[in-house]
Amino acid sequence: VQVGAYGTAAEAQKAVDRLHTRGIEARVDGEAKPFRVRIGHYTTKAEAGKALAGFKKLGIDGFVTSAGGR
């Protein structure tokens, strides 16, 4: 689940840090811009969609995407 994309790694890391303070495990994906902020590793799109629905209830917007071209 992608919840943001930033022009610098530092901006993306700040977003990750904010999520961590809310108890949400997030990470920065990518080594060049855009630096994507993603949550979770899900086996199916349905699993990711269910997780995203929960994040939206917390006020966190995003979308389901596949990581690494998978």
Side-chain angles (χ1 to χ4, degrees):
V1 174
Q2 184 169 318
V3 295
Y6 298 87
T8 68
E11 291 173 304
Q13 188 58 53
K14 284 181 186 178
V16 166
D17 293 343
R18 286 192 300 272
L19 290 166
H20 285 176
T21 64
R22 296 178 69 179
I24 298 169
E25 283 300 313
R27 68 188 182 286
V28 176
D29 250 4
E31 296 184 19
K33 72 179 185 178
F35 296 92
R36 296 162 183 90
V37 176
R38 293 188 171 157
I39 302 171
H41 293 278
Y42 303 97
T43 306
T44 66
K45 281 192 173 189
E47 251 182 43
K50 186 175 179 179
L52 178 58
F55 297 137
K56 286 186 176 188
K57 288 180 183 177
L58 297 173
I60 300 168
D61 200 17
F63 60 92
V64 173
T65 185
S66 58
R70 291 179 284 181

